[in-house]
Amino acid sequence: MSAPDANAVVDCGWGRIVFAQTFAEAGDLARNLEEEGPDRRDIAFYVCDPHVLLAQAPQDLFLDPSHTYRLDLSRLPPAEREPHGFSVRPLAAAAETSAVNRIYRSRNMVPIDPDFLWRHRQDAVLTYLVAENEATGAILGTVTGVHHGEAFGDPERGSSLWCLAIDPQAAPPGIGEALVRALAEHHRAAGCATMDLSVMHDNELAISLYERLGFERLPMFAVKRRNSINERLFTGSAAVEEDLNPYARIIIDEARRRGIHVEILDAKGGFFRLTYGGRTLRCRESLSELTSAVALSICDDKSVTRRLVEDAGVAVPEQIVAGEDEATIADFLTRHGSVVVKPARGEQGRGIAVGLETIEAVRAAIDVAKRECERVLIEACFTGEDLRLVVIDFRLVAAAIRRPPCVVGDGRSTARELIERLSRRRAAATGGESKVPMDAETERTLAGAGYGWDDVIPEGETVTVRRTANLHTGGTIHDVTDIVHPRLVEAAIAAARAIDIPVCGIDFMVKDAREEAYVFIEANERPGLANHEPQPTAERFVDLLFPLSIPASVRTLRAKRRISG
């Protein structure tokens, strides 16, 4: 058996894989890790004696808290189900590199130079696979493979899997499994005997998938160089911050990148304090001390918000209070055909029922809404899509269509089972923030599609399971910032100015984000800044809080643009 190449390293674009088993001296391996470039994440893989390696540079290196798994490619079990709604293939178009990086960013992974990704798409060492939505062509997930024989003449005929990442908004089930299977089959066809991977020790869903596919633990370790990207893994702050939700974490990560001091006040509640120079501000996610109590109070009462934005020229739907006599409510329903019932105060879509067409349904929805707030509103229902516009410092930062959760039938599973699986995927993708409630509103939406909880949905059929598109109730977010109609942007900014709020999520119902027709739904004083990739929501929020933290080069460039504009 021939020996592998000495001191083998593979550049993957996001960083280098340093194959520790090819290094004869721990000192040489440590010095190689010291060469890590800025904004990269190198990893020494297959480390047998991590204590010896760490002793070479104890201030610079740390033992990664991950497990190593191996799959015998000859024992890959057959698939129990075929993919529905998507297919897996190699990277095929230059534009897809942006989609891959968008998914990486959504998962807090290091993006790759698009030119590097495109140059290596047909590389003998590196393999890039993507999952494509068959209906829209959108990229839903990606995985990278490394052929060890081509990389360094591996006598064991090994390969490895890296950067498995799924779009958090992807609806079809089984994308991760399909990508792993496709890569395993590719490596097996290329003559590899095994496929290895490194997975964080607490990533229970991923570990469950790998073990189901036949991967087994190896007594091998990974060692990394300390940097700002992996800081939480070696400072011990990971345990302290594990209760932070994605909306707080995205801001904290951006603040730390700029050297702003962060103090976690209450992780579960999303409270933290930021200090830069002599300025200190407390925040709860995107709600900061710059938002006045008056603006907060306005957003808290939907009827007050509606009156103020209407006075500012923003189009609003007709509305009545549920306390009116039943004849008034019945007449309102007759005139509009379909209505929305929602609590006057509340958030995250709780207590909202959409598309009600009978007085009986309206009465039931009012009872549910009263559990959130005693005062309940009834609005004319504007059919279309839910558009969220994030306005910071009275400028549009991001616009996204929020779509209701839906399931895809497989011909075997009941509606209840499909919804439960969707909830698990949405929770995993959003840090536990998004789940589909198994409540009367979901039951009513299912019934509208002709199904009950225990009915089996035919294979390939897509069924919407809620009418509201809130992320917290299972909805998904799709960026439309580059195509949103200017009239919608003007209306969102006018609404924010009417409330006089520096950070706000303005919700419209629209026929199409590229058209100017809309109606105002509500304003959110604490909009979630996560899940709006690739828009720089956290960056603009921190700009607002600490303008002097903006790099000088960026401030100069923005000044030139304002002058030229």
Side-chain angles (χ1 to χ4, degrees):
M1 183 180 292
S2 59
D5 298 343
N7 299 354
V9 175
V10 172
D11 188 351
C12 295
W14 42 262
R16 302 173 304 152
I17 302 172
V18 182
F19 290 91
Q21 74 272 36
T22 67
F23 283 74
E25 299 293 335
D28 292 338
L29 180 55
R31 281 188 289 273
N32 197 291
L33 287 174
E34 288 291 319
E35 296 172 1
E36 180 183 72
D39 298 322
R40 307 263 283 179
R41 58 178 187 96
D42 293 354
I43 177 171
F45 200 38
Y46 301 110
V47 179
C48 293
D49 298 314
H51 55 294
V52 177
L53 177 57
L54 294 175
Q56 304 297 313
Q59 300 302 316
D60 296 328
L61 304 179
F62 72 98
L63 182 62
D64 189 51
S66 57
H67 296 323
T68 301
Y69 277 83
R70 169 167 291 175
L71 173 66
D72 181 340
L73 292 174
S74 68
R75 299 173 60 187
L76 177 67
E80 295 181 358
R81 59 183 177 182
E82 292 297 319
H84 289 293
F86 69 93
S87 57
V88 177
R89 58 167 175 78
L91 189 76
E96 292 170 359
T97 61
S98 297
V100 169
N101 276 331
R102 176 185 59 79
I103 294 174
Y104 283 166
R105 291 188 183 96
S106 74
R107 296 300 191 175
N108 296 313
M109 297 163 66
V110 178
I112 300 178
D113 181 345
D115 290 338
F116 178 96
L117 195 55
W118 185 241
R119 285 198 314 271
H120 291 271
R121 70 190 185 281
Q122 296 177 329
D123 197 284
V125 174
L126 297 170
T127 298
Y128 298 103
L129 301 181
V130 295
E132 177 188 36
N133 185 308
E134 292 177 343
T136 66
I139 301 302
L140 304 176
T142 180
V143 70
T144 301
V146 178
H147 190 301
H148 296 181
E150 296 288 348
F152 58 90
D154 181 15
E156 297 183 353
R157 297 168 45 227
S159 66
S160 53
L161 175 155
W162 301 90
C163 296
L164 176 64
I166 313 302
D167 187 336
Q169 313 306 325
I175 297 173
E177 178 177 341
L179 284 165
V180 175
R181 283 186 174 279
L183 186 62
E185 291 166 0
H186 169 82
H187 280 152
R188 183 170 59 190
C192 298
T194 60
M195 185 170 76
D196 300 342
L197 58 84
S198 178
V199 57
M200 290 300 296
H201 71 98
D202 57 356
N203 192 343
E204 296 177 359
L205 284 175
I207 290 173
S208 175
L209 166 63
Y210 298 140
E211 291 181 342
R212 191 169 73 249
L213 291 176
F215 284 82
E216 297 180 348
R217 278 278 300 275
L218 285 183
M220 298 287 184
F221 303 91
V223 171
K224 296 177 181 176
R225 183 173 180 240
R226 302 183 186 208
N227 59 36
S228 59
I229 296 171
N230 53 44
E231 180 182 2
R232 288 193 301 275
L233 300 180
F234 62 81
T235 60
S237 59
V240 176
E241 298 176 8
E242 64 183 9
D243 288 331
L244 286 172
N245 62 40
Y247 312 111
R249 186 176 297 283
I250 191 174
I251 297 168
I252 288 170
D253 288 346
E254 174 61 22
R256 284 179 170 151
R257 276 194 288 270
R258 301 194 192 191
I260 296 171
H261 177 71
V262 177
E263 180 185 356
I264 309 297
L265 302 178
D266 182 81
K268 283 186 178 294
F271 290 90
F272 53 90
R273 180 185 288 119
L274 303 179
T275 302
Y276 187 78
R279 181 180 175 89
T280 296
L281 289 168
R282 288 179 301 170
C283 303
R284 183 183 187 188
E285 300 162 11
S286 65
L287 177 64
S288 77
E289 292 179 297
L290 299 185
T291 295
S292 71
V294 173
L296 183 66
S297 178
I298 291 169
C299 288
D300 183 54
D301 191 320
K302 292 178 174 61
S303 57
V304 174
T305 309
R306 179 183 178 280
R307 290 196 297 269
L308 280 174
V309 301
E310 184 179 20
D311 289 344
V314 177
V316 299
E318 187 178 350
Q319 182 187 92
I320 61 172
V321 177
E324 302 284 351
D325 61 84
E326 188 158 309
T328 300
I329 296 175
D331 177 65
F332 189 85
L333 178 61
T334 300
R335 283 191 292 113
H336 295 288
S338 178
V339 299
V340 177
V341 170
K342 60 185 180 183
R345 290 189 167 123
E347 59 181 4
Q348 300 179 352
R350 291 191 293 265
I352 298 177
V354 179
L356 306 174
E357 297 179 346
T358 67
I359 192 67
E360 292 78 17
V362 172
R363 284 198 210 100
I366 289 171
D367 291 340
V368 172
K370 282 187 174 181
R371 298 171 193 166
E372 301 296 325
C373 177
E374 185 60 31
R375 192 156 59 94
V376 175
L377 308 175
I378 305 174
E379 284 184 351
C381 185
F382 183 95
T383 58
E385 293 194 295
D386 188 325
L387 176 67
R388 160 62 61 89
L389 301 108
V390 178
V391 178
I392 298 177
D393 199 17
F394 306 112
R395 294 181 178 87
L396 179 72
V397 175
I401 291 292
R402 302 190 298 177
R403 295 197 172 106
C406 59
V407 296
V408 180
D410 60 9
R412 302 188 306 272
S413 305
T414 65
R416 184 190 306 275
E417 291 168 338
L418 292 171
I419 293 171
E420 288 172 346
R421 289 179 203 156
L422 175 62
S423 275
R424 287 195 294 270
R425 294 200 307 275
R426 296 297 297 134
T430 59
E433 291 296 305
S434 181
K435 296 179 182 178
V436 182
M438 306 294 279
D439 60 10
E441 175 65 8
T442 300
E443 184 177 25
R444 187 176 66 83
T445 307
L446 266 179
Y451 295 104
W453 292 116
D454 298 319
D455 291 335
V456 173
I457 297 177
E459 182 175 346
E461 182 172 343
T462 299
V463 177
T464 299
V465 297
R466 283 187 80 85
R467 306 242 177 132
T468 55
N470 300 74
L471 181 73
H472 290 84
T473 54
T476 57
I477 299 177
H478 308 269
D479 182 69
V480 294
T481 307
D482 293 338
I483 64 170
V484 67
H485 195 283
R487 177 70 186 94
L488 304 180
V489 177
E490 293 169 4
I493 293 172
R497 288 195 181 279
I499 302 168
D500 195 19
I501 187 167
V503 179
C504 192
I506 303 295
D507 293 341
F508 292 159
M509 287 296 293
V510 299
K511 297 291 186 183
D512 189 310
R514 293 164 293 192
E515 299 174 3
E516 59 180 287
Y518 77 94
V519 292
F520 173 87
I521 301 301
E522 64 181 19
N524 190 314
E525 75 283 354
R526 183 163 48 102
L529 301 184
N531 306 310
H532 281 282
E533 299 79 9
Q535 306 309 326
T537 51
E539 291 94 320
R540 297 296 86 83
F541 178 72
V542 177
D543 288 352
L544 173 71
L545 269 54
F546 300 99
L548 293 181
S549 72
I550 303 172
S553 58
V554 175
R555 291 202 302 270
T556 301
L557 179 61
R558 291 181 186 174
K560 288 180 178 178
R561 287 176 177 170
R562 283 195 294 269
I563 293 172
S564 62

